[in-house]
Amino acid sequence: MTTDTCQQLRRALLDLHRALVDLERGDFEKQHGPQSAGEFLQVMAFSEDMRWLEPLSRLITMLDEAIEGAADAAATPRAVAQRARDLLGLDRDSADPFKQRYAQRFDQSPPLVHAHTAAIAALKAVGTVTPGPRA
């Protein structure tokens, strides 16, 4: 794996993250009125309602570190991709907050479905495997 692989995977996950943030912002602004970019960034950073996005944010950060040379650019994409594949598996029965909210959002948003499809293609390019059944 190369830094280029990290960048391609990062781009796909970042687009997916952006689609999720856009959905969250739309819902937040329906309830609280329009927000500036800075105001909504504060909501994203400090609101408990936005904590569900942290697993995806951490994966993007891991790729950033590999690209910058602070982590292993050879091993990081595969580890990130495997975790991302698990997170994005659309397990509607999961108790995991990310998986629950992601599946709900997926059903509501064609742009998210498009970003999801691109992310899955990027994960396949890294060479991850579909997780097997859990015991």
Side-chain angles (χ1 to χ4, degrees):
M1 304 275 164
T2 65
T3 300
D4 196 40
T5 304
C6 287
Q7 290 172 336
Q8 291 171 7
L9 184 54
R10 179 189 180 276
R11 201 170 349 205
L13 294 179
L14 197 57
D15 288 346
L16 184 69
H17 189 273
R18 188 173 298 117
L20 291 167
V21 169
D22 288 347
L23 290 168
E24 291 297 321
R25 184 173 185 164
D27 284 355
F28 186 85
E29 288 183 338
K30 283 178 189 173
Q31 292 180 351
H32 303 283
Q35 305 287 305
S36 71
E39 289 168 335
F40 191 69
L41 182 59
Q42 292 294 309
V43 171
M44 289 296 301
F46 300 110
S47 172
E48 287 296 319
D49 292 337
M50 302 298 171
R51 294 250 186 265
W52 74 276
L53 286 165
E54 284 182 5
L56 184 57
S57 299
R58 281 194 300 270
L59 294 178
I60 294 166
T61 299
M62 289 173 65
L63 291 167
D64 287 341
E65 290 170 353
I67 291 166
E68 294 169 3
D72 184 354
T76 298
R78 186 159 304 215
V80 166
Q82 201 62 44
R83 176 66 177 131
R85 183 176 277 289
D86 178 55
L87 283 174
L88 305 181
L90 295 172
D91 180 358
R92 296 178 194 308
D93 297 323
S94 175
D96 178 89
F98 181 90
K99 292 178 183 183
Q100 287 177 346
R101 188 70 175 255
Y102 187 75
Q104 176 189 37
R105 287 301 196 183
F106 185 87
D107 292 340
Q108 299 170 340
S109 172
L112 179 58
V113 171
H114 177 72
H116 173 89
T117 302
I120 295 300
L123 297 174
K124 286 181 181 178
V126 172
T128 60
V129 296
T130 304
R134 294 190 174 103

